[in-house]
Amino acid sequence: SGRNRVGLSTRWLSEVEPGKEGLACHGTVHPSAVTMPETHETPLVMVALGTGIAPMRAFIEERAAAKRDGEVCGDMALFFGARNRAEYSYEQEFDDYQKEGVLQHIILALSREQKEKIYVTHRLQQEKQLVYDLIHEKHGNLYLCGPGGAVPPQVRKAVIDAIRDCGKHSQEYAEK
């Protein structure tokens, strides 16, 4: 996007001049709550809100590297929600990945760019067939990253609706 964002830590790290001994830092590594598929052939449905785009970008970069190394990669769909296009920091990069065939679907929900607010959960409901095909039919994984609150249950509902409506399955089946 051409914008340079600097936070408290990144600014300090960019300006610090470590001595010959390096720079002592304390850190902790927490086990990941994310389970990645065993193969790159597994389709991914990624739902990201705001800064939640960061881990999705890493998933896309990993798939791009795998594809360049000759691996077969499953389809990827990115549902990204933000207030406006200015918050879509990686637009050019993701468009390039789409042209490269790494990222097949980019669905934006820019809530403040039209009269009525459109959120990522609306886009999931509008793209039920895609969600159904990638998650149910092709046994894909869904990843959600962003603020909590009402979004996770709404995303779950959108997936259940897709499985029920597109697959003509029962509500009970769709909720499993």
Side-chain angles (χ1 to χ4, degrees):
S1 72
R3 295 180 309 154
N4 184 18
R5 298 258 195 204
V6 180
L8 182 63
S9 295
T10 53
R11 180 184 312 275
W12 178 79
L13 285 170
S14 71
E15 294 172 355
V16 72
E17 294 185 28
K20 290 181 181 178
E21 294 82 38
L23 179 65
C25 294
H26 297 282
T28 303
V29 176
H30 298 281
S32 176
V34 175
T35 303
M36 294 304 294
E38 292 183 20
T39 172
H40 290 114
E41 293 183 43
T42 302
L44 300 183
V45 175
M46 302 168 291
V47 181
L49 294 96
T51 58
I53 195 70
M56 307 313 175
R57 180 182 183 217
F59 297 166
I60 296 165
E61 289 172 340
E62 180 182 346
R63 285 278 172 103
K67 186 176 175 83
R68 290 178 194 131
D69 287 344
E71 287 188 49
V72 175
C73 295
D75 285 354
M76 299 180 83
L78 172 65
F79 289 83
F80 178 66
R83 288 175 292 211
N84 52 57
R85 190 165 292 277
E87 294 179 0
Y88 184 31
S89 302
Y90 303 109
E91 181 172 10
Q92 185 59 56
E93 182 179 331
F94 290 162
D95 287 348
D96 291 345
Y97 284 132
Q98 191 170 38
K99 288 174 191 157
E100 190 179 335
V102 174
L103 179 60
Q104 287 70 33
H105 309 276
I106 302 172
I107 298 101
L108 300 178
L110 304 173
S111 62
R112 305 295 193 277
E113 293 217 342
Q114 61 281 316
K115 187 176 181 177
E116 78 283 354
K117 291 184 180 168
I118 298 175
Y119 297 110
V120 74
T121 51
H122 296 126
R123 295 293 191 221
L124 286 163
Q125 289 287 353
Q126 291 168 349
E127 297 289 340
K128 282 183 191 179
Q129 190 64 53
L130 174 63
V131 171
Y132 175 75
D133 289 343
L134 293 181
I135 292 177
H136 187 272
E137 294 299 293
K138 295 181 179 178
H139 308 286
N141 290 5
L142 181 134
Y143 296 94
L144 168 63
C145 189
V151 175
Q154 290 171 353
V155 168
R156 183 176 190 279
K157 180 185 182 314
V159 172
I160 289 169
D161 291 351
I163 293 169
R164 185 194 63 228
D165 298 348
C166 297
K168 308 295 184 225
H169 295 289
S170 69
Q171 182 74 19
E172 181 183 19
Y173 175 90
E175 289 178 0
K176 287 183 185 177

